[in-house]
C-alpha cells in the first residue's frame, strides 16, 4: 500500500504546485508535459514490467520500481529548468509503471479468491485518500515551503516501503527458477541430463528486448498524438497525422516482432483468450468513461455551479469514497451470481447514472452532481473489481503479471483516448453555442471572475459549459454501453477459474 501510495499521490500533489513551479522555472507553454510525460512513461512500460514480473518474480520488479521512482523524485527536486523537470518526471513514470502493475499482481499472488476484494479495496482506498490528501499537501508545501518538497516528501515514504518489501515480502507458491513455467521442456526423462536443464533455464530467462522497444515506441507515439492533439497542434495538422501514422507503422512492426519472439512482451494469448480479451476491452471502456468525472466535473462545478476549487474537488472526491466500499462488498455479490453478472449490474447502474447527469437542472445545487458521483463510485466498484479479480484467477502465476499489466494498459490507453475525444466534443459544442472557436479551459478561466463580465455574458458562458459537459457525459454513457455489450456478447458466462479458486 505504501508503494502504491507513491504512484497514487503523485498526480494530485503535483497539480496544485504548478503555478509555483512555472513561476520559478518558467516554461508555461510546455508545463502540461509534467503530467503527459509521466502518463506516457507509466502506460507504455506496463506491459514490459508485467512480462518481467512473470519472468523474474514480482519482488525484484517492485523493488526496482520503487528505487527508480525515488531516483526520479530526487532528480525532480533538483531540476534547474522546465525541460529537466519534464525529463525527470519521465524517470518517475518509469518507476510508476512498475508500481501500479506489480502491486495489483502481488495482491492476487498473496491472497486467495475470497480475500482479494478486501485487499483490493484497501488498495483503492489508497487512491481515495490520495485524491483528498494530495491537493492539500501540495498546496501547503508549495505555499509555505518550496515546491521541491512535493518531490522530496516521496523519499521517506519510499524508503519505508522499500524496507518493508525487502524484509517481509515473500512470494508464495512461485515456481523455482527465474521465469519458471514460461519455457518449454526440451528433455524427456532423466536422459536429458544437466545440459537440457541448463538449456531450459536459459530459454526461460530470455527477454524480448526488441519487442519491449517496439511496444514502448508505439505507445509513446500514439499517446503523444492523443494527449497533444487538439491542444499543442490541430488534429489534422502535420504533427498529429505524422505521429498517428508513425504509431500505425510501428504497431505493425510490433505485431511482426512479437509473433516471432520466443517470449513476447505482449503474447498473442492475451487477445486470443476470450475472458482476457473481454476484460481488456471492458476496462478500456472504463478508462474512456472515467474522463467525464475526473477531467470535466471540476470545471463544471466551478464554472456552472460557481464553487471554489476545494468545494469542486469535494464534488468529485465523493466518488472515491463509495468506490472502495462497493469494491470491498462485491465478493458477496459475485460469490452468488458470478464475476460477469456482477460486472454487468455495476456497468448498467453506471450507464443510468451517466445518462441522468444531463437531466440535472441549470444551474442546480452542488449536492445533485455529488449524489450522482457517490452512486457512480458504488456502481463502478461493482464493475471493475470483479473483472480484475476474476481475470487474475483464470491464469497461473507465470501469466498473471502479463495479464494484469494488459488490463491496466488498456484502461490507461482508454483514458488517453477519452481525454482526446471528449476534449474535441466539448470544444465542438462550445464552438456551436458561441459561434466562435470554443476553448473550455479559456472559458473556465474567464468564469473564475464572473463579476468582471456582464450578467448576460456570464449566463451565456455558463450555459455553454453546461451543455458541453452534458455532451461529454452522454459520450461517457456511450462508453459504458460499449462495456456492457462486451460483457454480454464477448465475456463467457462463467470465468474459467483455475484450481482451488473455483468460482462459486
Amino acid at each position: 500500500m505504501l508503494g502504491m501510495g507513491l504512484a497514487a499521490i503523485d498526480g494530485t500533489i503535483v497539480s496544485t504546485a504548478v503555478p509555483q513551479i512555472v513561476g520559478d522555472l518558467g516554461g508555461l507553454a510546455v508545463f502540461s508535459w509534467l503530467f503527459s510525460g509521466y502518463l506516457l512513461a507509466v502506460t507504455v512500460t506496463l506491459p514490459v514490467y508485467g512480462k518481467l514480473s512473470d519472468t523474474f518474480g514480482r519482488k525484484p520488479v517492485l523493488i526496482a520500481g520503487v528505487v527508480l521512482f525515488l531516483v526520479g523524485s530526487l532528480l525532480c527536486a533538483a531540476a534547474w529548468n522546465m525541460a529537466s523537470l519534464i525529463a525527470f518526471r519521465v524517470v518517475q513514470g518509469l518507476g510508476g509503471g512498475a508500481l501500479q502493475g506489480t502491486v495489483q499482481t502481488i495482491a492476487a499472488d498473496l491472497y486467495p479468491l475470497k480475500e482479494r476484494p478486501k485487499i483490493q479495496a484497501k488498495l483503492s482506498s489508497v487512491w481515495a485518500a490520495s485524491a483528498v490528501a494530495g491537493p492539500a499537501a501540495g498546496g501547503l508545501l508549495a505555499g509555505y515551503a518550496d515546491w521541491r518538497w512535493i518531490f522530496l516528501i516521496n523519499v521517506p515514504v519510499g524508503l519505508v516501503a522499500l524496507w518493508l518489501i525487502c524484509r517481509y515480502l515473500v512470494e508464495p507458491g512461485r515456481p523455482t527458477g527465474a521465469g519458471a513455467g514460461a519455457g518449454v521442456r526440451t528433455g524427456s526423462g532423466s536422459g536429458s541430463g544437466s545440459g537440457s536443464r541448463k538449456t531450459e533455464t536459459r530459454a526461460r530467462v530470455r527477454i524480448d528486448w526488441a519487442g519491449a522497444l517496439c511496444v514502448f515506441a508505439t505507445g509513446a507515439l500514439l499517446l503523444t498524438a492523443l494527449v497533444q492533439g487538439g491542444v499543442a497542434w490541430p488534429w489534422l495538422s502535420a504533427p498529429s497525422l505524422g505521429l498517428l501514422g508513425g504509431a500505425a507503422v510501428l504497431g505493425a512492426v510490433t505485431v511482426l516482432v512479437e509473433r516471432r519472439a520466443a517470449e513476447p512482451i505482449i503474447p498473442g494469448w492475451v487477445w486470443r483468450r476470450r475472458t482476457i480479451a473481454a476484460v481488456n476491452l471492458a476496462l478500456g471502456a472504463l478508462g474512456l468513461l472515467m474522463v467525464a468525472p475526473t477531467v470535466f466535473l471540476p470545471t463544471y462545478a466551478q464554472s456552472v455551479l460557481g464553487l471554489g476549487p476545494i468545494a469542486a474537488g469535494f464534488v468529485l472526491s465523493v466518488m472515491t469514497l463509495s468506490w472502495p466500499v462497493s469494491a470491498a462488498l462485491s465478493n458477496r455479490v459475485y460469490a452468488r451470481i458470478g464475476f460477469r453478472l456482477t460486472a454487468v449490474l455495476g456497468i448498467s447502474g453506471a450507464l443510468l447514472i451517466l445518462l441522468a447527469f444531463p437531466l440535472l437542472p441549470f444551474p442546480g445545487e452542488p449536492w445533485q452532481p455529488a449524489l450522482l458521483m457517490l452512486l457512480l463510485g458504488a456502481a463502478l466498484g461493482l464493475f471493475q473489481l470483479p473483472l480484475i479479480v476474476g481475470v487474475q484467477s483464470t491464469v497461473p502465476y507465470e501469466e498473471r503479471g502479463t495479464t494484469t499489466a494488459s488490463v491496466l494498459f488498456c484502461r490507461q490507453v482508454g483514458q488517453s483516448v477519452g481525454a482526446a475525444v471528449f476534449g474535441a466534443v466539448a470544444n465542438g459544442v462550445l464552438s456551436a453555442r458561441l459561434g466562435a472557436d470554443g476553448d473550455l479551459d479559456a472559458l473556465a478561466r474567464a468564469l473564475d471572475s464572473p463579476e468582471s463580465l456582464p450578467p448576460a455574458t456570464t449566463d451565456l458562458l455558463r450555459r455553454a459549459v453546461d451543455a458541453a459537459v452534458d455532451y461529454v457525459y452522454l459520450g461517457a454513457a456511450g462508453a459504458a454501453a460499449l462495456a456492457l455489450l462486451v460483457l454480454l456478447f464477448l465475456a463467457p458466462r462463467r470465468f474459467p477459474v483455475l484450481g482451488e479458486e473455483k468460482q462459486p
Side-chain angles (χ1 to χ4, degrees):
M1 289 176 70
L2 282 175
M4 179 68 84
L6 288 173
I9 203 171
D10 184 80
T12 55
I13 198 172
V14 173
S15 61
T16 55
V18 166
Q20 288 78 13
I21 295 174
V22 172
D24 188 16
L25 300 181
L28 178 63
V30 295
F31 85 90
S32 63
W33 276 99
L34 290 178
F35 308 98
S36 300
Y38 180 85
L39 173 66
L40 287 172
V42 168
T43 304
V44 299
T45 54
L46 276 169
V48 178
Y49 285 126
K51 184 62 179 179
L52 291 177
S53 74
D54 283 341
T55 304
F56 296 109
R58 327 296 187 210
K59 187 172 182 177
V61 173
L62 184 57
I63 290 173
V66 174
V67 170
L68 198 54
F69 191 91
L70 293 182
V71 169
S73 298
L74 290 171
L75 290 173
C76 286
W80 55 91
N81 57 28
M82 186 61 73
S84 63
L85 182 57
I86 291 171
F88 298 148
R89 284 281 289 165
V90 172
V91 175
Q92 260 192 320
L94 296 177
L99 294 174
Q100 290 195 30
T102 311
V103 169
Q104 296 279 3
T105 307
I106 288 174
D109 291 340
L110 292 179
Y111 295 88
L113 182 57
K114 290 184 178 180
E115 296 181 23
R116 279 180 208 157
K118 293 181 180 180
I119 190 63
Q120 290 282 7
K122 290 180 180 179
L123 292 176
S124 297
S125 71
V126 172
W127 292 91
S130 299
V132 177
L140 288 173
L141 290 172
Y144 296 98
D146 187 275
W147 63 264
R148 298 179 190 273
W149 281 99
I150 67 175
F151 298 107
L152 292 175
I153 200 173
N154 292 329
V155 176
V157 177
L159 289 176
V160 173
L162 199 59
W163 178 76
L164 290 171
I165 293 165
C166 292
R167 183 172 177 85
Y168 294 109
L169 177 58
V170 178
E171 299 186 53
R174 182 178 178 235
T176 57
V184 179
R185 290 191 178 275
T186 55
S188 56
S190 59
S192 57
S194 61
S196 296
R197 287 193 295 272
K198 290 179 181 178
T199 300
E200 178 186 349
T201 300
R202 283 195 297 269
R204 286 174 175 171
V205 298
R206 185 182 303 168
I207 303 299
D208 177 26
W209 295 116
L213 181 61
C214 287
V215 170
F216 191 94
T218 304
L221 289 183
L222 176 61
L223 292 175
T224 301
L226 293 174
V227 169
Q228 295 299 109
V231 179
W233 47 70
W235 278 110
L236 297 180
S237 65
S240 280
L241 296 178
L243 286 169
L244 291 172
V249 172
L250 282 176
V253 172
T254 301
V255 172
L256 293 176
V257 170
E258 295 295 82
R259 291 182 66 179
R260 296 185 178 186
E263 294 293 338
I265 293 294
I266 303 181
W269 53 259
V270 168
W271 292 106
R272 286 195 298 268
R273 295 182 191 176
R274 184 179 171 189
T275 305
I276 301 175
V279 172
N280 282 345
L281 292 174
L283 290 186
L286 172 65
L288 195 69
L289 73 86
M290 280 301 296
V291 171
T294 57
V295 176
F296 291 91
L297 184 63
T299 299
Y300 171 87
Q302 293 182 66
S303 300
V304 178
L305 302 181
L307 301 178
I310 295 177
F314 175 77
V315 172
L316 173 60
S317 65
V318 293
M319 181 177 69
T320 66
L321 300 178
S322 58
W323 192 316
V325 176
S326 173
L329 298 176
S330 65
N331 65 325
R332 299 172 183 261
V333 183
Y334 69 64
R336 293 177 177 273
I337 64 176
F339 295 118
R340 173 177 171 268
L341 191 51
T342 303
V344 166
L345 290 177
I347 198 61
S348 299
L351 173 59
L352 295 176
I353 294 163
L354 292 167
L355 288 173
F357 188 91
L359 302 179
L360 292 179
F362 174 87
E365 298 293 333
W367 67 265
Q368 294 167 333
L371 177 60
L372 289 183
M373 292 306 100
L374 189 71
L375 296 174
L376 183 63
L380 294 178
L382 276 181
F383 168 66
Q384 176 182 256
L385 189 63
L387 292 182
I388 292 179
V389 172
V391 78
Q392 287 178 330
S393 303
T394 65
V395 293
Y397 174 96
E398 61 271 13
E399 295 177 354
R400 194 172 290 148
T402 299
T403 300
T404 304
S406 73
V407 168
L408 298 178
F409 175 78
C410 288
R411 190 179 66 187
Q412 291 280 88
V413 171
Q415 215 162 346
S416 299
V417 173
V421 171
F422 293 150
V425 168
N427 290 335
V429 173
L430 291 175
S431 297
R433 287 289 179 122
L434 302 176
D437 291 335
D439 185 339
L440 188 61
D441 293 333
L443 278 186
R445 288 192 295 270
L447 289 169
D448 280 342
S449 304
E451 66 278 357
S452 63
L453 300 172
T457 301
T458 300
D459 184 70
L460 175 64
L461 296 182
R462 282 181 170 169
R463 287 184 181 276
V465 172
D466 179 65
V469 177
D470 284 347
Y471 274 94
V472 167
Y473 268 81
L474 288 175
L482 176 62
L484 179 60
L485 292 175
V486 167
L487 292 177
L488 291 177
F489 296 105
L490 181 58
R493 289 182 178 274
R494 299 184 69 83
F495 283 22
V497 178
L498 296 182
E500 72 279 4
E501 298 185 334
K502 287 296 183 185
Q503 184 179 343

